[in-house]
């Protein structure tokens, strides 16, 4: 492992990219100081340049050197959630290149919890930009083998299964408001608790500025069908599906524990892709629709599904 880490640092210093484990999903990392490395992230992923990258740091102090302002709210949040699955969108400093932020004047920044990610950034001495290590719009990887299968040429650090399993919660700030641009496993209710007694408003909004928040994303190769399940006896009327999807569909009943479900979600997509079936059918119990802890998972399912039956907009 030591050698693989050393090699990874050499690759990053030489303007390459490496597969980096994080507690959310695996990332495809390049040094933020290497323009060629950053370009390689986009070309490897076949990602358009209009979709900005998150900068991963190894300390709060380091984060502060890449942003123009650090609202007081960030201190409270960083103290509780960093290292961890929470990304701040803040005004960027001049030392963050426009290629990373796609020309926006803000930067997404996060301190990951995974010890290998921290060690990599620490030893490199520079933060790394890292989107999820998958082809653009496809399912994010939660195992080293997922990354290696998708990008056989890339040097991947083995870090076990990602503990959280879906991407970080992304938040932005406007005075005393926190806007959740991408829901994750840290939800609004949990954040609201942290600010109990303080005049802080929190709301979910689809980011108006993040071009990366596309309608279709996280998609498995096999068509995914979701339907809202009114009660346990309610099953999907297969007549609603096109003929080719009806041939050999597989069902996945999500674990009832949201944390466990998030951990398994992408890995299941990939298992179904390998096994080969005509469709993946996932019932969504209707009681989950308003439950805050399911918000991140439902966001991913909505974007990953080709057919959504009875899912409200
Ligand atoms: O958990 C995660 O966040 C993972 C791991 C690897 O850290 N990373 C990740 O990166 O999910 P990516 O590139 O797959 O998704 C980042 C999202 C994109 O949709 C992008 O549009 C948004 O973050 N983003 C990045 N910079 C932004 C900015 N300045 N303003 C608004 N949105 C931004
Ligand atoms: Mg991604």
């Amino acid at each position: 492992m030591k050698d693989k880490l050393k090699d990874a640092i050499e690759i990053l210093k030489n303007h390459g990219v490496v597969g980096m484990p994080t507690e959310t999903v695996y990332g495809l990392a390049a040094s933020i100081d290497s323009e060629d490395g950053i370009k390689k992230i986009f070309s490897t992923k076949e990602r358009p340049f209009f979709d900005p990258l998150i900068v991963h740091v190894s300390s709060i102090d380091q984060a502060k050197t890449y942003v123009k302002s650090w609202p007081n709210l960030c201190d409270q949040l960083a103290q509780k959630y960093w290292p961890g699955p929470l990304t701040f969108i803040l005004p960027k400093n001049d030392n963050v290149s426009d290629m990373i932020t796609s020309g926006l004047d803000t930067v997404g920044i996060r301190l990951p919890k995974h010890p290998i990610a921290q060690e990599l950034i620490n030893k490199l001495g520079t933060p790394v930009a890292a989107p999820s290590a998958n082809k653009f719009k496809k399912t994010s990887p939660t195992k080293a083998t997922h990354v290696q299968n998708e990008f056989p040429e890339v040097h991947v650090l083995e870090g076990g299964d990602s503990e959280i399993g879906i991407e970080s919660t992304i938040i932005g700030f406007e005075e005393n408001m926190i806007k959740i641009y991408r829901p994750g496993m840290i939800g609004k209710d949990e954040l609201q608790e942290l600010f109990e007694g303080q005049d802080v408003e929190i709301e979910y909004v689809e980011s108006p500025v993040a071009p990366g928040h596309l309608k279709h994303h996280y998609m498995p190769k096999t068509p995914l069908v979701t339907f809202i399940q009114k009660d346990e006896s309610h099953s999907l009327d297969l007549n609603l599906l096109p003929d080719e999807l009806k041939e050999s569909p597989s069902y996945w009943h999500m674990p009832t524990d949201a944390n466990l479900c998030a951990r398994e979600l992408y890995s299941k997509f990939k298992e179904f892709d390998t096994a080969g079936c005509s469709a993946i059918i996932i019932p969504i119990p209707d009681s989950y629709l308003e439950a805050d802890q399911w918000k991140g998972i439902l966001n991913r399912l909505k974007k990953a599904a080709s057919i959504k039956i009875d899912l409200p907009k």
Side-chain angles (χ1 to χ4, degrees):
M1 186 65 220
K2 279 271 164 281
D3 283 349
K4 280 213 96 178
L5 189 75
K6 261 195 192 155
D7 291 346
I9 290 162
E10 267 320 289
I11 293 168
L12 293 176
K13 284 187 174 159
N14 287 297
H15 312 284
V17 296
V18 301
M20 172 181 80
T22 90
E23 72 283 12
T24 56
V25 299
Y26 276 69
L28 190 67
S31 164
I32 65 160
D33 284 349
S34 167
E35 198 170 308
D36 283 348
I38 302 295
K39 276 190 193 151
K40 252 175 228 157
I41 290 180
F42 286 96
S43 59
T44 307
K45 275 183 62 89
E46 296 165 23
R47 175 168 168 138
F49 280 106
F50 63 67
D51 195 1
L53 307 175
I54 294 174
V55 168
H56 295 67
V57 293
S58 58
S59 72
I60 296 178
D61 282 343
Q62 190 178 46
K64 289 181 179 172
T65 64
Y66 292 95
V67 298
K68 279 219 164 87
S69 67
W70 181 266
N72 288 339
L73 294 178
C74 288
D75 277 327
Q76 261 173 292
L77 287 161
Q79 218 150 59
K80 170 131 191 222
Y81 292 111
W82 276 16
L86 187 66
T87 297
F88 301 157
I89 304 292
L90 292 168
K92 83 171 193 77
N93 234 338
D94 297 340
N95 51 4
V96 181
S97 82
D98 285 339
M99 210 191 308
I100 291 174
T101 65
S102 304
L104 297 173
D105 52 13
T106 54
V107 60
I109 201 154
R110 143 172 138 82
L111 170 48
K113 186 173 166 203
H114 199 294
I116 294 175
Q118 288 189 11
E119 200 177 346
L120 183 72
I121 301 163
N122 249 326
K123 295 216 162 117
L124 181 68
T126 316
V128 296
S132 52
N134 50 276
K135 289 261 166 77
F136 186 55
K137 291 191 181 178
K138 301 293 187 219
T139 307
S140 305
T142 54
K143 295 174 188 287
T145 49
H146 294 161
V147 186
Q148 204 67 81
N149 292 342
E150 192 137 324
F151 305 116
E153 316 293 317
V154 169
H155 181 83
V156 182
L157 291 170
E158 174 59 69
D161 291 3
S162 295
E163 193 189 323
I164 307 282
I166 65 169
E167 302 79 357
S168 60
T169 303
I170 301 183
I171 58 174
F173 305 89
E174 261 173 47
E175 292 170 14
N176 68 334
M177 284 204 62
I178 295 177
K179 300 197 165 186
I180 304 178
Y181 294 133
R182 179 174 70 184
M185 294 314 285
I186 298 173
K188 177 181 166 193
D189 290 355
E190 199 184 321
L191 292 174
Q192 200 76 68
E193 253 174 53
L194 176 68
F195 294 108
E196 218 187 306
Q198 295 176 57
D199 178 24
V200 177
E201 258 182 75
I202 305 175
E203 63 175 29
Y204 287 106
V205 281
E206 273 279 313
S207 168
V209 285
H213 294 273
L214 302 165
K215 192 163 161 229
H216 291 296
H217 206 151
Y218 318 110
M219 290 181 120
K221 295 189 188 92
T222 315
L224 171 66
V225 178
T226 58
F227 75 101
I228 304 302
Q229 195 184 35
K230 312 274 189 284
D231 57 59
E232 266 181 48
S233 65
H234 175 196
S235 58
L236 179 68
D237 176 3
L238 286 180
N239 291 319
L240 295 170
L241 302 185
D243 285 344
E244 64 277 16
L245 268 59
K246 284 184 214 160
E247 278 166 23
S248 55
S250 290
Y251 285 79
W252 188 47
H253 295 277
M254 298 188 285
T256 52
D257 178 295
N259 291 322
L260 191 60
C261 181
R263 206 172 300 151
E264 290 186 2
L265 183 70
Y266 292 147
S267 188
K268 282 289 166 196
F269 284 5
K270 289 182 188 269
E271 273 174 38
F272 284 120
D273 278 347
T274 310
C277 51
S278 59
I280 309 167
I281 301 180
I282 302 185
I284 301 176
D286 66 355
S287 59
Y288 291 2
L289 293 177
E290 296 305 320
D292 200 52
Q293 76 268 35
W294 286 90
K295 203 85 184 171
I297 294 166
L298 295 194
N299 166 275
R300 304 311 189 271
L301 286 175
K302 199 166 159 182
K303 293 187 185 229
S306 315
I307 298 182
K308 292 166 275 215
I309 296 172
D310 291 343
L311 192 64
K313 284 202 173 144

